Amino acid sequence: MVLSISSTCTLEEVAACCNAVRFFQLCVYKRRDITAKLVQRAENNGYKAIVLTGDSPRHGRREADIKNKIIIQELKNVEGLLSTKIVTDKGSNLDALANQTRDPSFTWEDIGWLKSITKLPILIKGVLTHEDALKALEVGAAGIIVSNHGGRQLDYCPPTISVLEEVVHAVGGKVPVFLDGGVRRGTDIFKAMALGAQAVLVGRPVLYGLAAKGENGVRRVLEMLKEELELTMALSGCSNVKEITRSHVRTKHDWQLLSLL
């Protein structure tokens, strides 16, 4: 599980409730001391990695949130560290909060500072290009998450499945590559793994399950994905995940090449 920095439960509460493998998702604040405290709390509470969100120098224009004037709940992880009571009559207070508190000046070079304050491996989330994948390796990322932030940050950005292979080729097996975004069925997991992802991240389906049937709904969503993946593997002749290979999928690029033969 990757726990959001914006969670309505503290990272300590989540750590105390289960023994699952947990990562902590981090956005860097203008006040670096607050960022450092959050990273240290994650390390002290048994989180296994820091997931640095790298595609949010500014908050994306989320028009539905602005129209509905969304008001977020108190962010428990920064309670007592950072005031989140921002009132705005211009739309979403989430937009105002993000743009007033997060550090838009954070660059590739600053990842060295982040590595200096923790022993935890750092995964960079939000990579969509060959160039950024190489840069992530250069600054010492322990893993890469191919993600377009659920399509909420930049309009017209590519679907993650369409750029996954580009990133995988750039990385060349040096660090794990994960896929985030658009995973709705077990067949989506199968395709991602065939194109080189070591694992996928699932966000919205879990929230759908939670909204529908609470904890049991979340459990059922994960069971459905597992069952669908196993069925896809069986019908594709794969007895384990290591047998899922590039030969099991055809991309648009493949069809274009075949048409030239």
Side-chain angles (χ1 to χ4, degrees):
M1 178 196 179
V2 182
L3 180 69
S4 170
I5 194 173
S6 300
S7 170
T8 53
C9 295
T10 67
L11 54 88
E12 289 85 3
E13 290 171 333
V14 174
C17 77
C18 67
N19 293 319
V21 175
R22 299 177 306 277
F23 296 173
F24 182 62
Q25 176 265 330
L26 180 72
C27 292
V28 176
Y29 289 117
K30 292 176 181 178
R31 284 189 55 186
R32 295 286 179 89
D33 60 318
I34 293 177
T35 302
K37 287 177 182 177
L38 290 169
V39 169
Q40 194 60 55
R41 284 167 57 190
E43 189 168 332
N44 292 342
N45 282 275
Y47 287 74
K48 300 300 183 183
I50 298 297
V51 174
L52 175 65
T53 297
D55 60 358
S56 300
R58 289 186 57 185
H59 203 243
R61 183 175 174 82
R62 303 179 187 179
E63 294 180 359
D65 289 352
I66 296 170
K67 178 182 178 182
N68 295 324
K69 298 185 183 297
I70 186 173
I71 302 295
I72 60 168
Q73 297 185 44
E74 192 73 17
L75 305 183
K76 294 295 185 179
N77 280 313
V78 295
E79 196 170 37
L81 299 173
L82 182 72
S83 174
T84 58
K85 295 185 181 299
I86 294 178
V87 179
T88 175
D89 59 358
K90 297 180 180 179
S92 163
N93 83 322
L94 174 59
D95 185 48
L97 174 63
N99 287 329
Q100 289 185 36
T101 59
R102 294 180 188 174
D103 186 357
S105 70
F106 193 82
T107 67
W108 290 107
E109 288 71 25
D110 291 312
I111 293 175
W113 167 79
L114 187 57
K115 291 180 67 178
S116 74
I117 64 171
T118 182
K119 296 177 182 178
L120 295 178
I122 297 170
L123 285 70
I124 299 180
K125 178 176 178 284
V127 173
L128 292 173
T129 67
H130 177 276
E131 293 82 4
D132 279 354
L134 291 178
K135 195 68 179 178
L137 291 179
E138 183 182 317
V139 299
I144 289 173
I145 301 175
V146 178
S147 174
N148 62 10
H149 215 108
R152 295 176 299 158
Q153 273 298 96
L154 178 63
D155 209 1
Y156 302 109
C157 62
T160 51
I161 194 71
S162 70
V163 297
L164 171 62
E165 197 167 25
E166 175 185 333
V167 173
V168 169
H169 285 166
V171 169
K174 295 183 179 68
V175 298
V177 176
F178 307 112
L179 176 91
D180 172 52
V183 176
R184 299 293 182 269
R185 292 188 176 272
T187 45
D188 297 326
I189 303 172
F190 185 91
K191 288 182 285 186
M193 297 188 76
L195 291 170
Q198 271 79 19
V200 301
L201 282 73
V202 183
R204 291 181 192 177
V206 168
L207 293 178
Y208 299 156
L210 180 67
K213 292 193 174 182
E215 182 179 338
N216 288 333
V218 172
R219 183 178 292 109
R220 184 60 190 138
V221 165
L222 298 176
E223 289 171 349
M224 289 169 65
L225 290 172
K226 181 174 182 289
E227 291 164 3
E228 291 168 2
L229 174 59
E230 289 177 346
L231 178 60
T232 305
M233 290 170 58
L235 296 177
S236 301
C238 301
S239 60
N240 59 65
V241 293
K242 292 182 180 179
E243 294 180 4
I244 302 174
T245 67
R246 180 63 175 81
S247 65
H248 286 103
V249 293
R250 291 285 186 274
T251 65
K252 182 178 180 181
H253 179 66
D254 294 329
W255 291 116
Q256 290 171 338
L257 290 177
L258 288 171
S259 69
L260 296 175
L261 297 178

PDB file of all heavy atoms in Angstrom, residues 223-251:
ATOM      1  N   GLU A 223      -9.772  -9.055  -4.988  1.00  0.00           N
ATOM      2  CA  GLU A 223     -10.029 -10.450  -5.351  1.00  0.00           C
ATOM      3  C   GLU A 223     -10.409 -10.566  -6.825  1.00  0.00           C
ATOM      4  O   GLU A 223      -9.951 -11.487  -7.528  1.00  0.00           O
ATOM      5  CB  GLU A 223     -11.149 -11.025  -4.477  1.00  0.00           C
ATOM      6  CG  GLU A 223     -10.749 -11.261  -3.030  1.00  0.00           C
ATOM      7  CD  GLU A 223     -11.945 -11.634  -2.157  1.00  0.00           C
ATOM      8  OE1 GLU A 223     -13.093 -11.507  -2.638  1.00  0.00           O
ATOM      9  OE2 GLU A 223     -11.723 -12.067  -1.003  1.00  0.00           O
ATOM     10  N   MET A 224     -11.246  -9.643  -7.290  1.00  0.00           N
ATOM     11  CA  MET A 224     -11.672  -9.663  -8.692  1.00  0.00           C
ATOM     12  C   MET A 224     -10.474  -9.483  -9.627  1.00  0.00           C
ATOM     13  O   MET A 224     -10.344 -10.200 -10.630  1.00  0.00           O
ATOM     14  CB  MET A 224     -12.708  -8.562  -8.942  1.00  0.00           C
ATOM     15  CG  MET A 224     -14.060  -8.837  -8.310  1.00  0.00           C
ATOM     16  SD  MET A 224     -15.148  -7.384  -8.344  1.00  0.00           S
ATOM     17  CE  MET A 224     -15.382  -7.174 -10.104  1.00  0.00           C
ATOM     18  N   LEU A 225      -9.605  -8.538  -9.312  1.00  0.00           N
ATOM     19  CA  LEU A 225      -8.426  -8.313 -10.153  1.00  0.00           C
ATOM     20  C   LEU A 225      -7.535  -9.551 -10.175  1.00  0.00           C
ATOM     21  O   LEU A 225      -7.016  -9.935 -11.229  1.00  0.00           O
ATOM     22  CB  LEU A 225      -7.646  -7.097  -9.650  1.00  0.00           C
ATOM     23  CG  LEU A 225      -8.315  -5.740  -9.849  1.00  0.00           C
ATOM     24  CD1 LEU A 225      -7.525  -4.649  -9.139  1.00  0.00           C
ATOM     25  CD2 LEU A 225      -8.445  -5.411 -11.332  1.00  0.00           C
ATOM     26  N   LYS A 226      -7.359 -10.171  -9.014  1.00  0.00           N
ATOM     27  CA  LYS A 226      -6.531 -11.378  -8.932  1.00  0.00           C
ATOM     28  C   LYS A 226      -7.155 -12.515  -9.743  1.00  0.00           C
ATOM     29  O   LYS A 226      -6.457 -13.212 -10.500  1.00  0.00           O
ATOM     30  CB  LYS A 226      -6.374 -11.793  -7.472  1.00  0.00           C
ATOM     31  CG  LYS A 226      -5.503 -13.026  -7.244  1.00  0.00           C
ATOM     32  CD  LYS A 226      -5.305 -13.253  -5.758  1.00  0.00           C
ATOM     33  CE  LYS A 226      -4.399 -14.463  -5.482  1.00  0.00           C
ATOM     34  NZ  LYS A 226      -5.080 -15.734  -5.801  1.00  0.00           N
ATOM     35  N   GLU A 227      -8.466 -12.709  -9.598  1.00  0.00           N
ATOM     36  CA  GLU A 227      -9.147 -13.778 -10.326  1.00  0.00           C
ATOM     37  C   GLU A 227      -9.069 -13.549 -11.835  1.00  0.00           C
ATOM     38  O   GLU A 227      -8.831 -14.482 -12.609  1.00  0.00           O
ATOM     39  CB  GLU A 227     -10.606 -13.868  -9.876  1.00  0.00           C
ATOM     40  CG  GLU A 227     -10.765 -14.375  -8.449  1.00  0.00           C
ATOM     41  CD  GLU A 227     -12.155 -14.102  -7.876  1.00  0.00           C
ATOM     42  OE1 GLU A 227     -13.009 -13.559  -8.628  1.00  0.00           O
ATOM     43  OE2 GLU A 227     -12.386 -14.415  -6.696  1.00  0.00           O
ATOM     44  N   GLU A 228      -9.269 -12.311 -12.249  1.00  0.00           N
ATOM     45  CA  GLU A 228      -9.220 -11.994 -13.680  1.00  0.00           C
ATOM     46  C   GLU A 228      -7.811 -12.168 -14.237  1.00  0.00           C
ATOM     47  O   GLU A 228      -7.639 -12.637 -15.377  1.00  0.00           O
ATOM     48  CB  GLU A 228      -9.712 -10.564 -13.913  1.00  0.00           C
ATOM     49  CG  GLU A 228     -11.199 -10.385 -13.660  1.00  0.00           C
ATOM     50  CD  GLU A 228     -11.622  -8.920 -13.622  1.00  0.00           C
ATOM     51  OE1 GLU A 228     -10.763  -8.040 -13.825  1.00  0.00           O
ATOM     52  OE2 GLU A 228     -12.812  -8.670 -13.387  1.00  0.00           O
ATOM     53  N   LEU A 229      -6.794 -11.795 -13.453  1.00  0.00           N
ATOM     54  CA  LEU A 229      -5.417 -11.978 -13.896  1.00  0.00           C
ATOM     55  C   LEU A 229      -5.104 -13.462 -14.056  1.00  0.00           C
ATOM     56  O   LEU A 229      -4.504 -13.882 -15.062  1.00  0.00           O
ATOM     57  CB  LEU A 229      -4.443 -11.334 -12.909  1.00  0.00           C
ATOM     58  CG  LEU A 229      -2.953 -11.588 -13.181  1.00  0.00           C
ATOM     59  CD1 LEU A 229      -2.545 -11.071 -14.557  1.00  0.00           C
ATOM     60  CD2 LEU A 229      -2.094 -10.964 -12.092  1.00  0.00           C
ATOM     61  N   GLU A 230      -5.499 -14.257 -13.068  1.00  0.00           N
ATOM     62  CA  GLU A 230      -5.231 -15.691 -13.136  1.00  0.00           C
ATOM     63  C   GLU A 230      -5.929 -16.328 -14.333  1.00  0.00           C
ATOM     64  O   GLU A 230      -5.357 -17.201 -15.010  1.00  0.00           O
ATOM     65  CB  GLU A 230      -5.668 -16.362 -11.835  1.00  0.00           C
ATOM     66  CG  GLU A 230      -4.765 -16.011 -10.655  1.00  0.00           C
ATOM     67  CD  GLU A 230      -5.247 -16.615  -9.347  1.00  0.00           C
ATOM     68  OE1 GLU A 230      -6.411 -17.084  -9.295  1.00  0.00           O
ATOM     69  OE2 GLU A 230      -4.467 -16.620  -8.381  1.00  0.00           O
ATOM     70  N   LEU A 231      -7.160 -15.915 -14.619  1.00  0.00           N
ATOM     71  CA  LEU A 231      -7.882 -16.450 -15.765  1.00  0.00           C
ATOM     72  C   LEU A 231      -7.181 -16.062 -17.073  1.00  0.00           C
ATOM     73  O   LEU A 231      -7.015 -16.896 -17.977  1.00  0.00           O
ATOM     74  CB  LEU A 231      -9.324 -15.938 -15.768  1.00  0.00           C
ATOM     75  CG  LEU A 231     -10.189 -16.379 -16.959  1.00  0.00           C
ATOM     76  CD1 LEU A 231     -10.300 -17.898 -17.010  1.00  0.00           C
ATOM     77  CD2 LEU A 231     -11.574 -15.738 -16.885  1.00  0.00           C
ATOM     78  N   THR A 232      -6.767 -14.801 -17.174  1.00  0.00           N
ATOM     79  CA  THR A 232      -6.058 -14.342 -18.371  1.00  0.00           C
ATOM     80  C   THR A 232      -4.771 -15.120 -18.572  1.00  0.00           C
ATOM     81  O   THR A 232      -4.430 -15.523 -19.699  1.00  0.00           O
ATOM     82  CB  THR A 232      -5.744 -12.840 -18.264  1.00  0.00           C
ATOM     83  OG1 THR A 232      -6.941 -12.120 -18.020  1.00  0.00           O
ATOM     84  CG2 THR A 232      -5.098 -12.319 -19.539  1.00  0.00           C
ATOM     85  N   MET A 233      -4.041 -15.349 -17.486  1.00  0.00           N
ATOM     86  CA  MET A 233      -2.805 -16.128 -17.576  1.00  0.00           C
ATOM     87  C   MET A 233      -3.089 -17.550 -18.055  1.00  0.00           C
ATOM     88  O   MET A 233      -2.393 -18.062 -18.948  1.00  0.00           O
ATOM     89  CB  MET A 233      -2.110 -16.156 -16.208  1.00  0.00           C
ATOM     90  CG  MET A 233      -1.509 -14.828 -15.787  1.00  0.00           C
ATOM     91  SD  MET A 233      -0.951 -14.826 -14.058  1.00  0.00           S
ATOM     92  CE  MET A 233       0.229 -16.167 -14.065  1.00  0.00           C
ATOM     93  N   ALA A 234      -4.114 -18.186 -17.482  1.00  0.00           N
ATOM     94  CA  ALA A 234      -4.439 -19.563 -17.864  1.00  0.00           C
ATOM     95  C   ALA A 234      -4.798 -19.662 -19.338  1.00  0.00           C
ATOM     96  O   ALA A 234      -4.342 -20.564 -20.055  1.00  0.00           O
ATOM     97  CB  ALA A 234      -5.584 -20.076 -17.000  1.00  0.00           C
ATOM     98  N   LEU A 235      -5.607 -18.703 -19.814  1.00  0.00           N
ATOM     99  CA  LEU A 235      -6.044 -18.740 -21.205  1.00  0.00           C
ATOM    100  C   LEU A 235      -4.939 -18.303 -22.162  1.00  0.00           C
ATOM    101  O   LEU A 235      -5.055 -18.491 -23.381  1.00  0.00           O
ATOM    102  CB  LEU A 235      -7.280 -17.857 -21.382  1.00  0.00           C
ATOM    103  CG  LEU A 235      -8.521 -18.328 -20.603  1.00  0.00           C
ATOM    104  CD1 LEU A 235      -9.670 -17.352 -20.797  1.00  0.00           C
ATOM    105  CD2 LEU A 235      -8.938 -19.726 -21.012  1.00  0.00           C
ATOM    106  N   SER A 236      -3.877 -17.725 -21.626  1.00  0.00           N
ATOM    107  CA  SER A 236      -2.730 -17.322 -22.457  1.00  0.00           C
ATOM    108  C   SER A 236      -1.568 -18.304 -22.330  1.00  0.00           C
ATOM    109  O   SER A 236      -0.491 -18.067 -22.888  1.00  0.00           O
ATOM    110  CB  SER A 236      -2.265 -15.921 -22.054  1.00  0.00           C
ATOM    111  OG  SER A 236      -3.298 -14.980 -22.204  1.00  0.00           O
ATOM    112  N   GLY A 237      -1.769 -19.364 -21.566  1.00  0.00           N
ATOM    113  CA  GLY A 237      -0.737 -20.388 -21.438  1.00  0.00           C
ATOM    114  C   GLY A 237       0.356 -20.065 -20.458  1.00  0.00           C
ATOM    115  O   GLY A 237       1.473 -20.583 -20.563  1.00  0.00           O
ATOM    116  N   CYS A 238       0.079 -19.213 -19.481  1.00  0.00           N
ATOM    117  CA  CYS A 238       1.084 -18.824 -18.486  1.00  0.00           C
ATOM    118  C   CYS A 238       0.744 -19.445 -17.140  1.00  0.00           C
ATOM    119  O   CYS A 238      -0.312 -19.160 -16.565  1.00  0.00           O
ATOM    120  CB  CYS A 238       1.154 -17.303 -18.351  1.00  0.00           C
ATOM    121  SG  CYS A 238       1.560 -16.451 -19.889  1.00  0.00           S
ATOM    122  N   SER A 239       1.648 -20.275 -16.613  1.00  0.00           N
ATOM    123  CA  SER A 239       1.403 -20.910 -15.319  1.00  0.00           C
ATOM    124  C   SER A 239       1.908 -20.062 -14.159  1.00  0.00           C
ATOM    125  O   SER A 239       1.565 -20.308 -13.001  1.00  0.00           O
ATOM    126  CB  SER A 239       2.054 -22.290 -15.276  1.00  0.00           C
ATOM    127  OG  SER A 239       3.457 -22.181 -15.477  1.00  0.00           O
ATOM    128  N   ASN A 240       2.755 -19.059 -14.431  1.00  0.00           N
ATOM    129  CA  ASN A 240       3.193 -18.119 -13.399  1.00  0.00           C
ATOM    130  C   ASN A 240       3.528 -16.792 -14.067  1.00  0.00           C
ATOM    131  O   ASN A 240       3.630 -16.715 -15.299  1.00  0.00           O
ATOM    132  CB  ASN A 240       4.383 -18.669 -12.601  1.00  0.00           C
ATOM    133  CG  ASN A 240       5.572 -18.970 -13.491  1.00  0.00           C
ATOM    134  OD1 ASN A 240       6.163 -18.062 -14.086  1.00  0.00           O
ATOM    135  ND2 ASN A 240       5.940 -20.246 -13.601  1.00  0.00           N
ATOM    136  N   VAL A 241       3.708 -15.754 -13.257  1.00  0.00           N
ATOM    137  CA  VAL A 241       3.883 -14.410 -13.825  1.00  0.00           C
ATOM    138  C   VAL A 241       5.179 -14.279 -14.623  1.00  0.00           C
ATOM    139  O   VAL A 241       5.270 -13.440 -15.527  1.00  0.00           O
ATOM    140  CB  VAL A 241       3.822 -13.320 -12.724  1.00  0.00           C
ATOM    141  CG1 VAL A 241       2.430 -13.230 -12.136  1.00  0.00           C
ATOM    142  CG2 VAL A 241       4.862 -13.571 -11.645  1.00  0.00           C
ATOM    143  N   LYS A 242       6.181 -15.112 -14.328  1.00  0.00           N
ATOM    144  CA  LYS A 242       7.432 -15.041 -15.066  1.00  0.00           C
ATOM    145  C   LYS A 242       7.261 -15.475 -16.516  1.00  0.00           C
ATOM    146  O   LYS A 242       8.106 -15.167 -17.363  1.00  0.00           O
ATOM    147  CB  LYS A 242       8.492 -15.897 -14.378  1.00  0.00           C
ATOM    148  CG  LYS A 242       8.937 -15.345 -13.026  1.00  0.00           C
ATOM    149  CD  LYS A 242      10.021 -16.194 -12.406  1.00  0.00           C
ATOM    150  CE  LYS A 242      10.468 -15.626 -11.057  1.00  0.00           C
ATOM    151  NZ  LYS A 242      11.518 -16.463 -10.416  1.00  0.00           N
ATOM    152  N   GLU A 243       6.181 -16.189 -16.800  1.00  0.00           N
ATOM    153  CA  GLU A 243       5.944 -16.648 -18.160  1.00  0.00           C
ATOM    154  C   GLU A 243       5.181 -15.627 -19.004  1.00  0.00           C
ATOM    155  O   GLU A 243       4.966 -15.839 -20.191  1.00  0.00           O
ATOM    156  CB  GLU A 243       5.190 -17.977 -18.136  1.00  0.00           C
ATOM    157  CG  GLU A 243       6.009 -19.116 -17.544  1.00  0.00           C
ATOM    158  CD  GLU A 243       5.256 -20.434 -17.526  1.00  0.00           C
ATOM    159  OE1 GLU A 243       4.122 -20.489 -18.043  1.00  0.00           O
ATOM    160  OE2 GLU A 243       5.802 -21.412 -16.990  1.00  0.00           O
ATOM    161  N   ILE A 244       4.779 -14.509 -18.391  1.00  0.00           N
ATOM    162  CA  ILE A 244       4.138 -13.434 -19.158  1.00  0.00           C
ATOM    163  C   ILE A 244       5.238 -12.669 -19.888  1.00  0.00           C
ATOM    164  O   ILE A 244       6.135 -12.097 -19.260  1.00  0.00           O
ATOM    165  CB  ILE A 244       3.362 -12.477 -18.236  1.00  0.00           C
ATOM    166  CG1 ILE A 244       2.299 -13.235 -17.430  1.00  0.00           C
ATOM    167  CG2 ILE A 244       2.691 -11.366 -19.058  1.00  0.00           C
ATOM    168  CD1 ILE A 244       1.583 -12.382 -16.394  1.00  0.00           C
ATOM    169  N   THR A 245       5.200 -12.663 -21.215  1.00  0.00           N
ATOM    170  CA  THR A 245       6.268 -12.053 -21.994  1.00  0.00           C
ATOM    171  C   THR A 245       5.715 -11.057 -23.011  1.00  0.00           C
ATOM    172  O   THR A 245       4.503 -10.974 -23.232  1.00  0.00           O
ATOM    173  CB  THR A 245       7.078 -13.117 -22.747  1.00  0.00           C
ATOM    174  OG1 THR A 245       6.240 -13.710 -23.753  1.00  0.00           O
ATOM    175  CG2 THR A 245       7.587 -14.199 -21.800  1.00  0.00           C
ATOM    176  N   ARG A 246       6.624 -10.353 -23.638  1.00  0.00           N
ATOM    177  CA  ARG A 246       6.261  -9.363 -24.653  1.00  0.00           C
ATOM    178  C   ARG A 246       5.487  -9.986 -25.809  1.00  0.00           C
ATOM    179  O   ARG A 246       4.685  -9.319 -26.472  1.00  0.00           O
ATOM    180  CB  ARG A 246       7.544  -8.682 -25.156  1.00  0.00           C
ATOM    181  CG  ARG A 246       7.341  -7.611 -26.219  1.00  0.00           C
ATOM    182  CD  ARG A 246       6.512  -6.446 -25.687  1.00  0.00           C
ATOM    183  NE  ARG A 246       6.415  -5.364 -26.639  1.00  0.00           N
ATOM    184  CZ  ARG A 246       5.568  -5.332 -27.670  1.00  0.00           C
ATOM    185  NH1 ARG A 246       4.743  -6.344 -27.872  1.00  0.00           N
ATOM    186  NH2 ARG A 246       5.525  -4.293 -28.479  1.00  0.00           N
ATOM    187  N   SER A 247       5.701 -11.277 -26.056  1.00  0.00           N
ATOM    188  CA  SER A 247       5.030 -11.949 -27.176  1.00  0.00           C
ATOM    189  C   SER A 247       3.530 -12.109 -26.959  1.00  0.00           C
ATOM    190  O   SER A 247       2.794 -12.436 -27.898  1.00  0.00           O
ATOM    191  CB  SER A 247       5.651 -13.334 -27.410  1.00  0.00           C
ATOM    192  OG  SER A 247       5.426 -14.184 -26.295  1.00  0.00           O
ATOM    193  N   HIS A 248       3.061 -11.855 -25.750  1.00  0.00           N
ATOM    194  CA  HIS A 248       1.644 -12.026 -25.437  1.00  0.00           C
ATOM    195  C   HIS A 248       0.788 -10.817 -25.805  1.00  0.00           C
ATOM    196  O   HIS A 248      -0.433 -10.860 -25.669  1.00  0.00           O
ATOM    197  CB  HIS A 248       1.460 -12.331 -23.945  1.00  0.00           C
ATOM    198  CG  HIS A 248       1.862 -13.720 -23.570  1.00  0.00           C
ATOM    199  ND1 HIS A 248       3.053 -14.001 -22.939  1.00  0.00           N
ATOM    200  CD2 HIS A 248       1.238 -14.919 -23.759  1.00  0.00           C
ATOM    201  CE1 HIS A 248       3.136 -15.297 -22.726  1.00  0.00           C
ATOM    202  NE2 HIS A 248       2.063 -15.873 -23.222  1.00  0.00           N
ATOM    203  N   VAL A 249       1.415  -9.711 -26.226  1.00  0.00           N
ATOM    204  CA  VAL A 249       0.636  -8.516 -26.558  1.00  0.00           C
ATOM    205  C   VAL A 249       1.049  -7.959 -27.915  1.00  0.00           C
ATOM    206  O   VAL A 249       2.160  -8.198 -28.400  1.00  0.00           O
ATOM    207  CB  VAL A 249       0.801  -7.408 -25.487  1.00  0.00           C
ATOM    208  CG1 VAL A 249       0.196  -7.817 -24.159  1.00  0.00           C
ATOM    209  CG2 VAL A 249       2.262  -7.019 -25.327  1.00  0.00           C
ATOM    210  N   ARG A 250       0.129  -7.222 -28.524  1.00  0.00           N
ATOM    211  CA  ARG A 250       0.413  -6.477 -29.742  1.00  0.00           C
ATOM    212  C   ARG A 250       0.022  -5.026 -29.498  1.00  0.00           C
ATOM    213  O   ARG A 250      -1.112  -4.747 -29.090  1.00  0.00           O
ATOM    214  CB  ARG A 250      -0.395  -7.022 -30.927  1.00  0.00           C
ATOM    215  CG  ARG A 250       0.026  -8.401 -31.390  1.00  0.00           C
ATOM    216  CD  ARG A 250       1.332  -8.350 -32.168  1.00  0.00           C
ATOM    217  NE  ARG A 250       1.668  -9.660 -32.729  1.00  0.00           N
ATOM    218  CZ  ARG A 250       2.336 -10.597 -32.072  1.00  0.00           C
ATOM    219  NH1 ARG A 250       2.737 -10.370 -30.819  1.00  0.00           N
ATOM    220  NH2 ARG A 250       2.602 -11.750 -32.631  1.00  0.00           N
ATOM    221  N   THR A 251       0.952  -4.114 -29.730  1.00  0.00           N
ATOM    222  CA  THR A 251       0.662  -2.693 -29.566  1.00  0.00           C
ATOM    223  C   THR A 251       0.356  -2.081 -30.931  1.00  0.00           C
ATOM    224  O   THR A 251       0.539  -2.720 -31.976  1.00  0.00           O
ATOM    225  CB  THR A 251       1.866  -1.962 -28.953  1.00  0.00           C
ATOM    226  OG1 THR A 251       2.962  -2.008 -29.877  1.00  0.00           O
ATOM    227  CG2 THR A 251       2.276  -2.605 -27.627  1.00  0.00           C
TER     228      THR A 251
END
